[in-house]
Amino acid sequence: MGIFEKIFRHHPPWGVHPDDHKLPAANAPLRSLPLPALLYVPMQQHVGSPARPVVLVGQHVLKGQLIAEAQGNVSAPVHAPTSGRISAIGEVTAPHPSGLAQLAITIAADGADTWCERLPVDDPFALAPEEIARRTAAAGVVGLGGATFPAAVKFNLGRRLKVNTLIVNGGECEPYLSSDDRIMRDRAAEVVDGLRIVMYAIGAREALVGIEDNKPQAIAAMRVAAAAFGNVQVRPVPARYPMGSDKQLIQTLTGKEVPADARAAEVGVLVHNVSTCAAVHRALRRGEPLVERIVTLNGGALTRPGNLLAPIGTPVVDLLRFAGVSGRPARLVLGGPMMGIVLPHARVPIVKGASGILAFDAAEAHVAEAGPCIRCGSCTRACPMGLLPLEMASRIGADDLAGAAGFGLSDCIGCGCCAYVCPSHIPLVQYFSYAKGELSARERSKLRNDATRRLAEERVARLEREAREKAAAAARRKAERDAAKAAAGAAARPLPVRIVKPASEAAT
Amino acid sequence: MTAYLLLLLSTALVNNVVLVKFLGLCPFMGVSRNMDSALGMGLATTFVITLACAATWLLEHWLLAPFDLGYLRILTFILVIAATVQFVEMVVKKSAPALYQALGIYLPLITTNCAVLGLALLTAQEKMSFLRSLVYGFGSALGFTLVLLIFAGLRERLALARVPAAFAGAPLSFILASLLSLAFMGFAGLSFQ
Amino acid sequence: MIPTRHAGPVAAPHAASAGTVPRVMLWVSAALLPATLFGFWLYGWPAVHLWWVTTGSAILGEAFCLRLMQKPVAPVLRDGSALLTGWLLALSLPPWAPWWAGVIGGLFATVIGKQVFGGLGQNLFNPAMVARVMLLISFPVPMTLWTAPLPMLSANAPGFVDGLRITFGTLPATFDAMSSATLFGYARSELSRGVDLLQSLAATQAPTISLLGERAGSLGETSSLLIAAGGLLLLGLRIITWHIPFAMLATIALFASLMHGIDPARYLSVGIHLLSGAAMLGAFFIATDYVTSPNTAVGQLVFGAGVGFLTYVIRTWGGYPEGVAFAVLLMNALTPVIDRYTRPRIYGRDRRGAPLEIDP
Amino acid sequence: MWLAIFSLTLLGTLLGLALGLAAKRFHVEASSIVAEIEALMPGSNCGQCGFAGCPRAAAAIADGSAPVTVCPPGGKALAQMLAARLGISIDLTSVADEGPQIAIVAEDICIGCCRCSKVCPTDAIVGAAKQIHNVIREACTGCGNCIDRCPTEALLLQPLPVTVQHWVWPKPATVVIALAV
């Protein structure tokens, strides 16, 4: 690596290169969090329908026991992160920017941390691929890179679409975060075994492990672990945000571009995160469901930043205490600084997708006042999707959402590069999130409108049917009466009969 | 050939029908809210002007001049222009309903676009040859389209700007038009001799 | 351990790059400084006075509008854009232009050129060039009265007070210096008298061209070397990209060499076109204005080429000796059209926006 | 004189003929704007606009006798869509819009009289006589027809609760500098 290479180091034409702030947290050895007293396990920790509780308040559960089952096609079950008593099933603040509540199961830990019965598999490669997908689904494994898409659903998709290449995402391009880095350094063998199981499950012939070149130790560890397997290649990629985004990583490693509105599997690749692969390894080889994860604790307000192994459902406040908080953090962020969400307070539980908790000091949390757009075009150069953020934002600002959609709003991946480079500090990502949400709300209300119209039509049809039936019933009764009368008249002297209510009137 | 090319340039840019001759201001202010309809309007007007220039030349030279009917000039020209516009309206309605809707009343109003009659009368007055009047009309119409498109683009961007309340709408459009003619002053005196 | 509350949800990203608008304006000003100081030296005190009158008027105009609209004045002025507008205008004026040209121009630039549209980022034309063109059209005579270089400490140079009197018009313009002409103006008038370029440029009274800029011309446009140095600084800092300057200068050079090759007696050479007049200042500082130029690479190339082409056309065949200001305004007007037809390709879509074919 | 009359007549006839032919050639069926507007309307025929059902209201909006803001259940969103469709600009700041609402039955005072369910345009209220009624959240349009019918005032209109799934980021505040405009 000469000076020449340093100056002319090739990097993609998109993206940004923020200060990574990964040290010293990334180099601190992995620590385990002491078991918290109370764990709040949310029912929605994944993309798709929320899980449905299958335990009752007061019930005693063991670590790894199923406490909520998956609902519907895209969903994931939830397991008890430790042994203890279910003390409540109710709403807690969701790890969500809105700060709204969502359903969670509260477990009072008994401190024993007793596992339920586990069913390890000695040789996963002897199982049918469908069985691996089934076990992965049953273990509640979801994408741990942040997307939290149920892993097994992707397995089945990959097998169906005959995916050739498995891409293992060790990019971890977000500044501050190092949980993937840590897992590759400390558990490289698990990651490699996991990714081989995934390859087998989807029928892929090769695996490419993409790791940003700012993690040399992780690259070295993974190379050693993968040395025995010829079809697993570790490929360093330039450190450039958002390299960890599926589409950008696929393009960098394979040169393929995922068409808009299509899935990666349709061009023959599938992306799984390194932590997901490790979780698959544990689910198969040890029979352990996903009940804990590595969380990066970082930020200027922490005295002992580093990576912690913590059970799912741990309140953020416990993690912060363990990592040592100096003063009052100015902002708490779940995830990385580029795409993470602000937590309203520290009593929010961590979820399967929580790769990091950042406690920012006042300087890091400083929000500069937004100024007018000077059309400098920095955002268009930074956008990894080739969009024109300034044009979209100006249209959204003028309430022209359709115009913004015409500029490719739906292709925005929300990576935050545009807002990062904006010299006027315009909250571009918020503009786009607002517009996307508003457009989908309109779409929902349109669907609702259609449903309403159907209901109204059904009601009209029902009223007509009821009227018809009434009329028919009246006519029938009249006919019966007439017949009865005729029969009676035949027996006795016929009486003059006056019809009281004509059938037509009864129908109104 | 070069002469016609220069004529085209001079009518489109140097003596721009809107910014220098101040003809056709009604659609210039009216149909310049977005680029699509401006382009549609420009093309429709180009078609009308070119056709009208040709038709009025024929009228002038085969009917009005030989039979000394000069006093019927405006009347017959208007008749021809109105018929052409009607024809264009039908075609646009059939082939581009969205454009038809966007142009609205301004499509039939091409009839009263003074640029159309003005150019036809000018070609008659200057006693141009058939080809020359055709190029003259087409070039002017291109200039009209260009300026309409530019102005629409600028106004599209203005629509997104946070303009002071006092200037929002028509006042700023007029200021914008004046700045645009300021820019077009750069072509003044352009000569290739 | 409850973090500080915010008014609403704070959106990602929770990090920002170091670039800010005032920083951009500051660097552009810094890049202009060498050429400006050289202009001051070259044309003496009247140029200094014209500079502060013009920039002061531009800033005043902006402040006046902000007050009128009851917006905060100080934070907006601090972004430095009004200063820069006035500065660029001053650099494009004849160095001994009277004070009222600077005042009218400065006010026109920020009031009509910018604030009427809603302020920074909303204007459609380059404010400095709007004012420049307005002045040229309204006051053609004072706007084409050029001064021969009269360096500040040389024998005949006016002192501070004389400079004030020249700028503010109490001293009649009896200095010999006032009768000079720019090379373009000279070449044009000689051509119209029937003297071809080969003879006129060889004549002893012909204005010369020099890389450092010791020639008659606008206050800050003469020293191509210093302007280019400033431009390279901006390129190095990534405040501007190479597309517009390159496309503009390359287009001028292309047409100049082509026409000069055809008939050197009628068309000026590449060197004169590039080093004389406002080509350099225009390429690096005026055409690259963010607000009024396209913001994609392809669009910028088209824009730069357009400015270059129109500059050449107006210089060579037009009614005015210099065409950069007009060319910039005309291309400003075309910017929305260019933007529309040079949208970048979106990832996963083709140029027209349709999803790519699925190709496993 | 005769020449002028003749030539004008000839010209008129020729052009008229040409246009007549063109009209045949380029004939298009007029699209029904009423049908388009009707498709945008909620379609529950609740009658709050004062017209007998959505089709009538659509016709009135199309011919301009009713404003685009006539439909309360449609709210601001519908008014915006209608204005866009009709190519008119409207000032929406005056349109009160509390967002979508639904009816809620206060279960402790409902007497099960069935009056409300009879007027519900979407059959969103279920319940038999002498049984506590219930509103099906998905089917209720918040038209409010049922509110006045209830003898015990057990029906209330409430804003639709926001959930994590339906929450939408707020639009960023406009640039501070421009606030004073």
Side-chain angles (χ1 to χ4, degrees):
Chain A
M1 177 96 124
I3 277 203
F4 184 82
E5 204 177 326
K6 265 217 155 109
I7 295 173
F8 293 97
R9 192 165 68 172
H10 177 72
H11 70 71
W14 43 256
V16 293
H17 190 83
D19 284 346
D20 69 6
H21 290 278
K22 289 187 190 275
L23 297 177
N27 284 342
L30 184 62
R31 291 169 290 174
S32 281
L33 184 80
L35 198 59
L38 284 173
L39 292 161
Y40 308 86
V41 190
M43 294 296 97
Q44 172 112 53
Q45 306 187 37
H46 49 263
V47 173
S49 337
R52 186 173 48 211
V54 292
V55 288
L56 298 172
V57 175
Q59 189 178 334
H60 189 269
V61 291
L62 293 174
K63 183 177 184 178
Q65 185 181 333
L66 183 77
I67 55 173
E69 61 181 13
Q71 273 192 100
N73 287 334
V74 180
S75 184
V78 176
H79 303 80
T82 186
S83 58
R85 202 176 53 83
I86 308 288
S87 62
I89 299 177
E91 301 213 304
V92 300
T93 306
H96 191 264
S98 64
L100 290 168
Q102 70 150 316
L103 194 63
I105 295 177
T106 308
I107 299 175
D110 60 10
D113 209 25
T114 330
W115 273 97
C116 65
E117 194 195 349
R118 285 167 281 182
L119 298 167
V121 182
D122 286 336
D123 184 10
F125 301 99
L127 298 175
E130 293 81 5
E131 179 60 16
I132 292 178
R134 199 194 60 74
R135 281 175 183 251
T136 309
V141 178
V142 299
L144 296 180
T148 63
F149 192 82
V153 179
K154 254 164 123 179
F155 290 2
N156 293 332
L157 184 75
R159 207 167 54 246
R160 202 162 34 111
L161 292 173
K162 305 224 173 354
V163 163
N164 210 2
T165 310
L166 171 71
I167 286 180
V168 182
N169 189 345
E172 197 162 57
C173 52
E174 278 266 15
Y176 289 90
L177 300 188
S178 50
S179 63
D180 286 349
D181 186 12
R182 213 57 248 179
I183 210 165
M184 287 188 284
R185 289 199 219 175
D186 296 345
R187 298 179 175 176
E190 286 186 20
V191 173
V192 171
D193 184 62
L195 76 87
R196 289 183 60 239
I197 298 174
V198 175
M199 278 172 74
Y200 172 69
I202 61 176
R205 246 172 282 158
E206 57 163 355
L208 305 175
V209 187
I211 306 172
E212 277 196 350
D213 55 15
N214 59 355
K215 305 180 200 35
Q217 289 110 317
I219 294 173
M222 287 295 288
R223 279 207 164 124
V224 169
F229 311 104
N231 53 358
V232 179
Q233 292 177 40
V234 178
R235 292 263 191 94
V237 291
R240 186 107 183 137
Y241 182 86
M243 189 53 88
S245 157
D246 286 5
K247 289 176 173 172
Q248 276 64 38
L249 189 62
I250 290 172
Q251 195 179 31
T252 309
L253 285 177
T254 68
K256 286 179 181 171
E257 202 169 305
V258 184
D261 312 324
R263 286 164 297 197
E266 289 173 59
V267 292
V269 290
L270 205 62
V271 183
H272 275 288
N273 182 269
V274 283
S275 300
T276 317
C277 292
V280 170
H281 161 87
R282 295 214 159 192
L284 270 292
R285 297 270 187 191
R286 301 194 193 178
E288 291 178 5
L290 180 60
V291 291
E292 59 179 16
R293 70 155 299 145
I294 299 177
V295 183
T296 304
L297 268 288
N298 208 342
L302 295 182
T303 51
R304 291 187 306 279
N307 284 283
L308 296 182
L309 189 62
I312 304 293
T314 308
V316 166
V317 63
D318 290 346
L319 290 163
L320 291 179
R321 273 205 195 106
F322 188 76
V325 179
S326 62
R328 178 169 148 152
R331 192 188 301 170
L332 289 178
V333 175
L334 174 75
M338 297 299 282
M339 290 181 78
I341 58 172
V342 173
L343 296 175
H345 52 76
R347 302 220 65 89
V348 177
I350 62 156
V351 286
K352 292 174 181 176
S355 47
I357 301 290
L358 309 180
F360 281 165
D361 58 25
E364 286 169 311
H366 173 70
V367 182
E369 216 155 87
C373 171
I374 57 168
R375 302 185 61 84
C376 66
S378 307
C379 50
T380 67
R381 285 192 291 277
C383 181
M385 298 302 287
L387 301 172
L388 296 170
L390 78 167
E391 300 285 2
M392 297 200 290
S394 63
R395 276 163 183 78
I396 295 166
D399 285 323
D400 178 14
L401 299 191
F407 274 88
L409 180 65
S410 64
D411 291 304
C412 169
I413 55 172
C415 65
C417 287
C418 48
Y420 174 82
V421 297
C422 181
S424 287
H425 309 293
I426 298 170
L428 291 157
V429 174
Q430 191 180 343
Y431 272 104
F432 305 147
S433 307
Y434 153 74
K436 286 183 211 164
E438 191 62 37
L439 284 174
S440 63
R442 284 186 194 172
E443 189 58 31
R444 274 201 304 276
S445 86
K446 214 171 132 215
L447 290 177
R448 202 181 144 86
N449 248 353
D450 292 345
T452 307
R453 192 191 313 280
R454 248 191 339 272
L455 285 170
E457 279 162 9
E458 273 166 24
R459 177 182 149 91
V460 170
R462 190 204 70 187
L463 290 178
E464 276 170 7
R465 193 183 62 236
E466 280 175 5
R468 257 199 327 277
E469 280 168 3
K470 247 186 194 162
R476 202 169 53 240
R477 274 202 305 280
K478 179 175 171 272
E480 277 168 11
R481 269 204 311 275
D482 287 353
K485 257 171 229 144
R493 190 169 54 92
L495 283 170
V497 174
R498 204 173 48 180
I499 294 165
V500 181
K501 217 179 197 179
S504 64
E505 203 172 287
T508 53
Chain B
M1 190 59 224
T2 333
Y4 285 116
L5 215 64
L6 288 181
L7 178 67
L8 206 65
L9 263 181
S10 118
T11 47
L13 300 177
V14 184
N15 295 311
N16 188 280
V17 63
V18 181
L19 295 176
V20 178
K21 292 206 188 98
F22 301 116
L23 291 174
L25 290 177
C26 162
F28 178 65
M29 296 310 278
V31 203
S32 51
R33 269 176 217 283
N34 82 60
M35 281 197 246
D36 284 326
S37 51
L39 193 60
M41 184 67 177
L43 293 180
T45 312
T46 304
F47 183 77
V48 170
I49 288 180
T50 316
L51 214 61
C53 276
T56 54
W57 191 90
L58 296 178
L59 263 183
E60 175 71 25
H61 286 258
W62 290 357
L63 182 72
L64 302 180
F67 298 104
D68 201 20
L69 291 174
Y71 60 92
L72 283 182
R73 190 173 288 134
I74 291 181
L75 193 65
T76 48
F77 280 17
I78 291 267
L79 198 63
V80 168
I81 291 167
T84 322
V85 171
Q86 279 296 308
F87 177 73
V88 169
E89 193 182 344
M90 287 179 213
V91 174
V92 171
K93 193 173 179 182
K94 173 87 176 176
S95 55
L99 180 64
Y100 180 77
Q101 203 143 43
L103 293 180
I105 187 68
Y106 288 101
L107 190 53
L109 276 185
I110 297 179
T111 311
T112 55
N113 183 341
C114 48
V116 184
L117 183 64
L119 288 171
L121 287 175
L122 272 176
T123 54
Q125 201 177 38
E126 309 250 318
K127 305 221 180 316
M128 296 181 187
S129 70
F130 182 71
L131 200 58
R132 197 172 159 77
S133 72
L134 212 60
V135 173
Y136 184 85
F138 182 67
S140 302
L142 277 191
F144 175 79
T145 310
L146 177 74
V147 168
L148 199 62
L149 187 67
I150 287 177
F151 198 56
L154 294 173
R155 283 184 74 181
E156 258 185 31
R157 193 158 282 176
L158 264 196
L160 303 173
R162 295 192 189 88
V163 174
F167 289 99
L172 197 53
S173 296
F174 285 125
I175 292 179
L176 193 59
S178 69
L179 292 186
L180 192 57
S181 25
L182 213 58
F184 265 73
M185 286 287 280
F187 291 124
L190 206 63
S191 81
F192 297 93
Q193 264 70 60
Chain C
M1 209 168 293
I2 296 168
T4 325
R5 274 303 215 164
H6 301 283
V10 180
H14 312 287
S17 61
T20 62
V21 173
R23 181 180 164 271
V24 169
M25 301 290 175
L26 199 71
W27 275 115
V28 176
S29 310
L32 278 176
L33 208 55
T36 312
L37 291 178
F38 179 76
F40 288 167
W41 174 77
L42 197 61
Y43 301 114
W45 282 106
V48 180
H49 299 314
L50 181 69
W51 180 85
W52 67 254
V53 165
T54 312
T55 46
S57 306
I59 292 173
L60 262 177
E62 177 128 319
F64 171 72
C65 287
L66 292 168
R67 277 300 287 275
L68 214 60
M69 292 186 284
Q70 294 165 353
K71 290 186 191 179
V73 175
V76 178
L77 287 187
R78 229 173 289 142
D79 71 22
S81 63
L83 169 83
L84 201 55
T85 297
W87 193 331
L88 282 171
L89 174 63
L91 294 193
S92 74
L93 293 177
W96 286 19
W99 65 274
W100 49 262
V103 171
I104 294 177
L107 290 176
F108 195 82
T110 41
V111 178
I112 302 291
K114 187 169 149 201
Q115 283 299 330
V116 154
F117 290 90
L120 180 63
Q122 323 281 331
N123 54 302
L124 298 168
F125 292 97
N126 187 316
M129 289 303 104
V130 165
R132 179 74 185 84
V133 163
M134 184 277 290
L135 288 173
L136 179 63
I137 289 172
S138 312
F139 313 105
V141 177
M143 284 305 111
T144 46
L145 265 186
W146 307 99
T147 318
L150 200 60
M152 206 172 243
L153 299 173
S154 64
N156 294 332
F160 180 84
V161 180
D162 274 352
L164 272 179
R165 289 173 64 198
I166 288 172
T167 303
F168 287 90
T170 52
L171 190 71
T174 53
F175 284 87
D176 295 343
M178 292 303 284
S179 58
S180 189
T182 64
L183 210 156
F184 284 128
Y186 171 76
R188 174 179 297 267
S189 60
E190 292 297 290
L191 263 181
S192 64
R193 288 200 304 142
V195 185
D196 76 19
L197 291 177
L198 298 177
Q199 293 170 21
S200 62
L201 290 185
T204 44
Q205 81 276 19
T208 49
I209 188 82
S210 85
L211 199 59
L212 196 63
E214 289 185 67
R215 60 171 170 89
S218 299
L219 203 171
E221 289 176 353
T222 56
S223 175
S224 305
L225 200 66
L226 294 179
I227 293 170
L232 290 179
L233 173 70
L234 295 186
L235 277 173
L237 290 167
R238 303 202 178 167
I239 286 174
I240 58 173
T241 59
W242 57 270
H243 305 85
I244 291 179
F246 170 78
M248 177 174 161
L249 296 177
T251 310
I252 293 180
L254 179 76
F255 279 96
S257 61
L258 202 72
M259 298 310 285
H260 186 69
I262 291 174
D263 187 357
R266 283 195 58 197
Y267 301 105
L268 292 165
S269 66
V270 178
I272 293 176
H273 267 289
L274 289 186
L275 299 179
S276 168
M280 281 288 168
L281 189 74
F284 285 106
F285 289 94
I286 293 169
T288 50
D289 173 32
Y290 290 151
V291 181
T292 54
S293 64
N295 39 45
T296 62
V298 181
Q300 288 174 346
L301 287 175
V302 173
F303 178 89
V307 176
F309 173 70
L310 290 173
T311 301
Y312 187 80
V313 167
I314 295 172
R315 276 178 176 182
T316 311
W317 296 292
Y320 296 94
E322 174 55 301
V324 172
F326 286 110
V328 167
L329 287 191
L330 285 166
M331 291 313 288
N332 286 165
L334 269 169
T335 294
V337 181
I338 297 173
D339 269 342
R340 182 191 176 94
Y341 294 107
T342 57
R343 286 186 197 170
R345 187 179 73 83
I346 298 173
Y347 177 104
R349 294 181 184 274
D350 63 17
R351 285 241 161 252
R352 272 169 313 201
L356 294 176
E357 300 279 314
I358 291 172
D359 174 32
Chain D
M1 175 69 189
W2 289 110
L3 193 63
I5 293 175
F6 174 73
S7 53
L8 274 183
T9 315
L10 188 70
L11 207 58
T13 319
L14 281 178
L15 290 173
L17 268 176
L19 281 180
L21 283 176
K24 275 227 157 62
R25 173 80 182 67
F26 294 107
H27 180 71
V28 269
E29 292 296 331
S31 77
S32 167
I33 193 150
V34 179
E36 276 181 55
I37 293 177
E38 207 187 315
L40 293 175
M41 310 276 298
S44 59
N45 300 323
C46 68
Q48 283 186 84
C49 52
F51 293 95
C54 294
R56 297 278 176 81
I61 291 171
D63 66 28
S65 56
V68 290
T69 52
V70 73
C71 178
K76 224 177 230 184
L78 178 67
Q80 245 160 2
M81 273 195 282
L82 287 175
R85 177 61 194 82
L86 294 171
I88 52 177
S89 52
I90 46 164
D91 182 22
L92 281 171
T93 47
S94 58
V95 181
D97 189 2
E98 296 95 48
Q101 293 197 313
I102 53 163
I104 306 247
V105 176
E107 297 186 355
D108 43 347
I109 42 178
C110 174
I111 53 169
C113 67
C114 281
R115 283 183 214 183
C116 53
S117 61
K118 290 209 182 80
V119 295
C120 179
T122 54
D123 281 346
I125 305 177
V126 290
K130 301 274 159 71
Q131 306 283 313
I132 293 170
H133 297 345
N134 205 351
V135 178
I136 303 172
R137 185 177 279 197
E138 285 72 29
C140 177
T141 61
C143 72
N145 278 359
C146 50
I147 307 297
D148 300 334
R149 285 303 184 100
C150 184
T152 59
E153 295 186 358
L155 276 157
L156 290 170
L157 270 189
Q158 280 186 355
L160 203 64
V162 182
T163 61
V164 169
Q165 282 80 17
H166 291 170
W167 181 79
V168 173
W169 272 96
K171 186 176 168 181
T174 31
V175 180
V176 175
I177 294 162
L179 270 183
V181 175

